[in-house]
Amino acid sequence: MPDFALPPQYDPSSVEKRLYGRWLDAGIFTAHVDSPKKPYVIVIPPPNVTAVLHMGHGLNDTLQDALIRFERMRGREALWLPGTDHAGIATQNVVEKLLAQEGKTRFDLGRDAFVQRVAAFVSETGTTILEQLKTIGCSCDWSRTRYTLSPELSRAVREVFVRLWEEGLIYRGHRVIHWCPRCLTALSDEEAEFQETNGHLYYIHYRLADGSGQVTVATTRPETLFGDTAIVVNPEDPRGAPYVGKKASLPLTGIEIPILADESVDKEFGTGFVKVTPAHDANDFEVGMRHGLAMPLIMTEDGRMGDVGKREAGSGKRVPPELEGVDRFEARKKVVKMLEAAGQLAKVESHQHAVRRCYRCDSIVEPRLSDQWFVKMKPLAEPALDAFRTGEVRFVPERWETTYTQWLEGIRDWNISRQLWWGHRIPVFTCTACQHQWADRVDPTACPKCGGPVTQDPDVLDTWFSSWLWPFSTLGWPDDTPDLRHFYPGHTLVTAPEIIFFWVARMIMVGIHVMKRAPFGTVYLHGTVRDTKHRKMSKSLGNGIDPLDVVRLYGADALRWTAVAGVSLGSDLILDNEDLEATFAPGRNFANKLWNIGRFILSQLPDQVPAIASVDRSTLTLADRWILSRCQTTIEAATRANEQYRLDEAAKLCYEFVWGDLADWYVETVKPRLAAVPAAYAVLGYCFDMALRLLHPVVPFITEELWQKLPGRKAGELLAAAAWPAPSPAMRDAAADTAFGRVQELITAIRSIRAEYRIAPKTKLGAVLTSRDPKDYEAESDTICRLAGLEAFSVGAAPNGVGAHAVLRDGGDVFVGLGGSIDVTQECKRLTTDRDRLDKQLAGLSAKLANESFVARAPAEVVAREREKEQAWRAQVAALNDKLKALGCA
RNA sequence: GGGCGAAUAGCUCAGCUGGUUCAGAGCGCCUGCCUUACACGCAGGAAGUCGGGGGUUCGAAUCCCUCUUCGCCCACCA
């Protein structure tokens, strides 16, 4: 009995930290520019500096790590570049909330102090998530960790801004933008997310100024009526004809506004009359521009009613005093009441429509007329579309291509200015003397034109304005660094489809614009992590799973296993947060299985295991040849699957090989031979080594731990830096596949009989096999005896004694002697069931073959195959009928 | 309003170019086993009219059409 030094259960917590340290010490995650190897580069989607690891990262980063480890083992100079994003709004919000607990606002601190406060906060929390990535095994090149707000990357941001400015691609726009009244900043179109909302449609009477009647408008936002500067009606609409050209007076204030014709009005919706609030609705703004309307702002920046549009013609006293300072939604209720009291509220209908919300704080966005900096996107979008069309960039899975192209085709200019304090200050300067305005790479001290004093734009840039540079700003651009030359462009971008617009498309656009090459060739888009009700996992829903809990309870490999094997290409990962056991046990159990195969092997193998190449193939048994063949099939299929980003499939193939073939069958067959036969050592050692290599990208810890213990390891050798298995086609052996398959079938059939007749496991039986081709069975007769619990196994004619039968696929028959214990009725029933099932299948098959069209039209090989099958089944049925007759069954 | 995806065993999902028993895996369930690598295990089972309907084809879970249900993305109908 072997004396195992290792415990029967794998304990991840005792090895993970140590192994990660070894990898770091060996420096194998560090990429080198002077390496002769071909580079392979992934840049991490930088998590927010304030983020803590959640399952979304768990999925995203595990996939990246599996890819990078696969390519590293395949001999590429693999660079996985990590880092964090300063996340303008999100981070500012976090610190503002902390300040609020002290009863302060950022305005109490002032800009400089606030920015310092955020920076201090970030310096404390900013590396948390990167440290957490290490606990799940991420093999990032930590020597190249970057941060979007670092001095180096800030320089890249500024350089790009100035270049775009110089190229005329940045301009100041005066229009209605999305405004978050809580964050007090403008947002881009992408940052203002649509959400279906149940609201109301209010019908309001606007009396004509001449007292001759009234028109009724329908609106979802009655509180904005104070900013109305016109009513419009479709010129084709006969209902409008009597009114166009007249004036209406605003309810509650009596301000007179014109009734105009405008084609943008949908005749079918509402009453056909539309109130126009140019400063608080993007559509109305367009109408206002067409008709030269005044555009008064009637809300403060924080969303309360008030006259603030001083620079606009027509501004002035518009909001009634009793509404001054009232929140917009409160004001809505009040206005409705006031209208009702004035007899000007016709009716209220419930109405479902989409409202935009701030993607960071979920507040309802207020459309607001404002001056902002924009990037002209059309010139950038065209080359990005070309990059897709020429195949320079491709998407996996392909279905995201249309999302990408459609967005680019309809691209709109990008509002990049944010009225925040946390971020890259916009490098636009204005001379207070001569009004000259320019963008500058360095802070100027005086106006270059007149020498006058200079002020800088107070706003900061959209966070994504630094993110979109990530693939090259991280490599040292704008300097022409060795890193940049060697590692740009990268290869694979792994991310979620949610940020195709925010990030992926923009990286491609600016990458081509600045670097002349798209930043990566493949965009690999994975799904979203959801709970069993298919709701996105989120902190606010409380349905999340903490990856660190999983690591603690089941090990990092178990987490990774579920992330990789639990989801097919591009589909969502559904996890049960209420049943962690069901969710993560498979990975843990598999790791434990590996552990125990390893334990067994280590207890058996000598210190010197012969290399598989040195083994004379003629000394191999059928089982040897079979497992080697299976090993090769797995190597080839898993490699192909990984190349096609089918990481789940590769993982499952390896799982099947290890558990289903190696453990369940080969290890069992080889046990009695191990002590004596060197070839058995070689085969077992080789297959296990290959399995560990194949599985390493997915479950790096357990595989490294076991690989280290295998005999013949040189000091300092690491699986993480070892070579990916090369296929050895000579080991493929179709004959062995078939022959061993027969052995398995026979053993399973006998076991099945044992179970059916409730034969105690310890009871040894005798069995006789009749087969057309018995030699494969004879070669493994020892295996058959041990695995099927036989004391004797022979090939020959079945005896006439009492026993149970099983018919094999080739029409062969196995007779299992059960002594006097056989229940003939039961045996008849068993065999009859089998016979009937086969008979039915056979009838179907025969009908198929009798069908002339099938024989004529199906490919010859298919027909031939079906014929063979028919013959085999016929033989099986005949054999079964013989047995039934011999037993005297009805 | 447009686009995309999903629907297969009780649950979570594979099933790629239609054809090898193709109807599978894991979890759960049932039966028997602590067989000297592993009970996080071993062996043997039960379990699905592949969402409905139509079509193409010698042949459909797989391709086409349509309907139903669910989910996501995009969209200025106030």
Side-chain angles (χ1 to χ4, degrees):
Chain A
M1 178 160 166
D3 175 29
F4 292 116
L6 300 170
Q9 274 191 14
Y10 170 56
D11 175 21
S13 63
S14 69
V15 316
E16 290 175 357
K17 224 185 153 92
R18 169 167 52 81
L19 287 180
Y20 199 87
R22 280 202 59 185
W23 292 328
L24 285 185
D25 292 345
I28 55 174
F29 301 160
T30 309
H32 300 282
V33 290
D34 51 4
S35 165
K37 297 174 181 173
K38 205 173 143 201
Y40 176 80
V41 180
I42 296 179
V43 292
I44 202 169
N48 293 354
V49 255
T50 57
V52 291
L53 194 73
H54 57 64
M55 278 309 298
H57 301 120
L59 174 62
N60 178 250
D61 292 309
T62 298
L63 292 172
Q64 291 175 77
D65 194 47
L67 286 173
I68 207 91
R69 284 179 183 270
F70 170 60
E71 296 293 353
R72 186 181 293 125
M73 290 177 77
R74 290 227 290 172
R76 301 282 287 265
E77 189 64 22
L79 168 59
W80 185 12
L81 194 147
T84 47
D85 193 299
H86 69 285
I89 304 181
T91 306
Q92 177 159 331
N93 281 354
V94 170
V95 177
E96 281 186 311
K97 269 183 200 149
L98 291 175
L99 282 179
Q101 287 171 10
E102 304 167 19
K104 289 186 195 156
T105 71
R106 66 174 151 128
F107 300 102
D108 295 331
L109 295 194
R111 183 163 187 153
D112 289 345
F114 179 76
V115 169
Q116 271 176 28
R117 177 78 182 253
V118 180
F121 177 75
V122 161
S123 71
E124 274 175 36
T125 64
T127 53
T128 304
I129 188 152
L130 299 181
E131 289 305 314
Q132 290 173 330
L133 289 180
K134 295 176 183 174
T135 67
I136 63 170
C138 292
S139 59
C140 303
D141 182 349
W142 302 109
S143 73
R144 287 184 167 86
T145 304
R146 299 290 186 264
Y147 173 47
T148 52
L149 202 55
S150 68
E152 297 79 15
L153 270 67
S154 298
R155 200 172 133 236
V157 166
R158 189 147 175 179
E159 177 65 28
V160 166
F161 185 95
V162 174
R163 282 196 194 183
L164 293 176
W165 174 281
E166 288 168 352
E167 293 164 32
L169 293 176
I170 288 182
Y171 68 94
R172 191 74 169 159
H174 177 65
R175 68 183 65 154
V176 169
I177 47 84
H178 309 294
W179 180 267
C180 176
R182 203 223 60 86
C183 300
L184 299 179
T185 181
L187 302 170
S188 67
D189 294 342
E190 292 70 35
E191 290 170 318
E193 297 179 332
F194 278 108
Q195 190 185 65
E196 286 296 323
T197 308
N198 292 315
H200 301 280
L201 194 58
Y202 302 89
Y203 289 77
I204 304 171
H205 298 309
Y206 283 50
R207 294 181 183 128
L208 296 185
D210 61 10
S212 64
Q214 62 183 15
V215 295
T216 307
V217 305
T219 181
T220 54
R221 305 202 56 198
E223 72 280 10
T224 62
L225 72 85
F226 307 110
D228 290 357
T229 51
I231 286 172
V232 289
V233 61
N234 192 298
E236 307 281 298
D237 190 339
R239 289 173 299 181
Y243 299 100
V244 173
K246 295 195 171 182
K247 282 191 185 298
S249 59
L250 284 185
L252 311 178
T253 68
I255 292 172
E256 292 189 4
I257 57 172
I259 300 174
L260 307 168
D262 192 279
E263 284 168 357
S264 69
V265 180
D266 179 355
K267 287 178 286 184
E268 309 303 317
F269 189 86
T271 61
F273 293 89
V274 182
K275 66 190 271 304
V276 180
T277 323
H280 290 281
D281 183 287
N283 208 25
D284 290 2
F285 173 78
E286 297 299 325
V287 176
M289 289 299 285
R290 279 198 288 275
H291 299 280
L293 300 176
M295 303 185 173
L297 282 161
I298 48 110
M299 277 183 215
T300 57
E301 290 184 340
D302 59 350
R304 287 175 293 116
M305 304 303 291
D307 296 297
V308 291
K310 294 187 184 63
R311 58 184 295 259
E312 303 297 330
S315 299
K317 210 55 206 153
R318 284 183 151 260
V319 177
E322 64 266 43
L323 289 175
E324 195 87 40
V326 176
D327 176 81
R328 53 194 170 144
F329 299 112
E330 201 51 37
R332 181 177 300 171
K333 290 181 200 157
K334 288 198 170 171
V335 167
V336 169
K337 279 207 181 105
M338 289 160 77
L339 288 169
E340 209 167 7
Q344 286 182 272
L345 184 68
K347 60 173 172 175
V348 181
E349 288 174 350
S350 52
H351 178 63
Q352 204 194 28
H353 61 131
V355 298
R356 286 187 182 259
R357 288 174 179 271
C358 172
Y359 85 136
R360 282 304 170 202
C361 76
D362 209 39
S363 304
I364 292 180
V365 162
E366 184 60 41
R368 185 178 177 87
L369 184 61
S370 167
D371 292 306
Q372 302 286 339
W373 293 108
F374 291 86
V375 180
K376 273 187 205 163
M377 297 304 279
K378 197 110 198 137
L380 301 179
E382 281 306 324
L385 278 167
D386 286 342
F388 165 69
R389 293 186 191 119
T390 61
E392 186 183 354
V393 177
R394 69 181 187 118
F395 291 80
V396 178
E398 288 176 358
R399 71 183 120 95
W400 295 107
E401 290 166 358
T402 48
T403 305
Y404 173 78
T405 53
Q406 284 173 10
W407 186 74
L408 284 177
E409 281 160 5
I411 192 128
R412 293 194 282 178
D413 287 352
W414 177 15
N415 176 359
I416 52 169
S417 43
R418 297 290 175 275
Q419 287 64 47
L420 303 171
W421 289 347
W422 179 244
H424 302 91
R425 184 92 177 252
I426 292 177
V428 171
F429 301 88
T430 310
C431 172
T432 51
C434 74
Q435 304 307 313
H436 173 55
Q437 194 172 56
W438 75 105
D440 214 325
R441 290 176 175 81
V442 289
D443 291 354
T445 49
C447 173
K449 288 220 164 146
C450 72
V454 167
T455 57
Q456 183 171 4
D457 192 290
D459 292 346
V460 300
L461 288 163
D462 183 357
T463 283
W464 299 98
F465 195 92
S466 57
S467 313
W468 74 334
L469 313 178
W470 186 250
F472 54 90
S473 65
T474 50
L475 296 173
W477 190 91
D479 293 335
D480 182 23
T481 61
D483 266 16
L484 190 64
R485 285 195 299 271
H486 199 68
F487 294 121
Y488 191 94
H491 299 84
T492 308
L493 180 79
V494 181
T495 192
E498 289 110 82
I499 53 175
I500 289 178
F501 308 143
F502 276 115
W503 195 47
V504 179
R506 286 175 182 157
M507 278 192 289
I508 296 171
M509 287 190 272
V510 81
I512 294 171
H513 190 72
V514 170
M515 297 294 298
K516 312 299 169 209
R517 294 283 301 277
F520 31 75
T522 302
V523 180
Y524 171 32
L525 295 155
H526 60 247
T528 307
V529 181
R530 299 177 186 280
D531 67 12
T532 48
K533 297 187 187 75
H534 292 215
R535 299 173 308 179
K536 203 166 168 169
M537 280 200 175
S538 73
K539 216 188 278 178
S540 53
L541 277 174
N543 61 347
I545 295 173
D546 185 344
L548 299 177
D549 283 346
V550 178
V551 169
R552 195 164 39 75
L553 294 168
Y554 301 94
D557 289 333
L559 173 77
R560 296 170 60 108
W561 179 261
T562 297
V564 171
V567 67
S568 71
L569 181 63
S571 62
D572 289 344
L573 177 62
I574 312 292
L575 301 178
D576 191 344
N577 59 310
E578 284 167 3
D579 191 352
L580 294 187
E581 185 69 17
T583 309
F584 297 104
R588 178 202 56 191
N589 294 354
F590 182 46
N592 198 51
K593 190 73 183 180
L594 283 166
W595 177 253
N596 277 293
I597 298 170
R599 229 159 59 93
F600 172 74
I601 290 178
L602 292 172
S603 73
Q604 303 290 324
L605 291 194
D607 292 341
Q608 296 294 322
V609 177
I612 192 71
S614 70
V615 173
D616 177 1
R617 259 188 93 77
S618 68
T619 66
L620 298 180
T621 64
L622 171 60
D624 292 336
R625 295 196 310 275
W626 167 76
I627 196 68
L628 288 172
S629 183
R630 285 286 306 130
C631 186
Q632 290 314 306
T633 307
T634 307
I635 289 171
E636 288 167 31
T639 305
R640 204 175 324 121
N642 276 335
E643 284 168 347
Q644 294 166 351
Y645 296 91
R646 297 296 312 258
L647 306 188
D648 59 315
E649 198 192 327
K652 284 173 187 162
L653 286 166
C654 298
Y655 178 97
E656 202 32 54
F657 172 67
V658 165
W659 203 318
D661 297 331
L662 193 63
D664 287 349
W665 290 98
Y666 186 70
V667 166
E668 294 307 325
T669 70
V670 87
K671 275 177 179 173
R673 297 168 53 219
L674 272 173
V677 189
Y681 293 139
V683 173
L684 188 57
Y686 169 80
C687 288
F688 193 55
D689 186 344
M690 292 304 114
L692 293 178
R693 289 171 197 251
L694 292 173
L695 283 161
H696 183 257
V698 186
V699 282
F701 291 107
I702 179 69
T703 50
E704 181 76 80
E705 178 70 3
L706 290 169
W707 201 76
Q708 288 303 322
K709 296 181 191 299
L710 288 183
R713 208 78 309 137
K714 296 188 201 79
E717 232 185 340
L718 290 167
L719 176 57
W724 185 255
S728 308
M731 290 188 195
R732 290 284 293 271
D733 188 336
D737 292 344
T738 309
F740 196 76
R742 286 206 187 120
V743 171
Q744 290 175 305
E745 185 199 11
L746 174 65
I747 292 168
T748 303
I750 298 170
R751 283 170 170 173
S752 200
I753 287 172
R754 294 187 68 107
E756 200 135 351
Y757 281 100
R758 312 239 174 270
I759 311 294
K762 290 198 166 65
T763 308
K764 300 287 184 199
L765 301 175
V768 181
L769 172 74
T770 318
S771 170
R772 284 191 292 171
D773 191 9
K775 65 176 187 309
D776 295 331
Y777 302 101
E778 281 170 339
E780 290 289 342
S781 67
D782 184 52
T783 299
I784 293 166
C785 284
R786 283 192 315 107
L787 300 193
L790 304 178
E791 61 185 355
F793 168 70
S794 57
V795 175
N800 282 326
V802 210
H805 290 267
V807 169
L808 305 175
R809 266 195 247 178
D810 71 345
D813 166 78
V814 60
F815 168 89
V816 182
L818 296 175
S821 64
I822 184 165
D823 175 344
V824 176
T825 328
Q826 189 187 343
E827 179 68 359
C828 287
K829 204 175 132 201
R830 250 195 53 206
L831 294 175
T832 308
T833 310
D834 280 359
R835 197 266 322 270
D836 291 348
R837 180 176 44 82
L838 256 170
D839 218 14
K840 215 169 134 193
Q841 282 181 16
L842 179 60
L845 187 58
S846 298
K848 192 174 179 182
L849 283 162
N851 182 345
E852 283 172 28
S853 336
F854 171 71
V855 179
R857 299 192 195 202
E861 65 205 60
V862 172
V863 178
R865 212 154 49 210
E866 298 294 68
R867 286 227 165 91
E868 259 175 58
K869 207 157 66 180
E870 189 194 26
Q871 226 176 17
W873 287 0
R874 203 159 264 160
Q876 287 183 54
V877 171
L880 279 163
N881 281 329
D882 285 352
K883 303 312 150 200
L884 286 165
K885 201 184 285 173
L887 284 168
C889 302

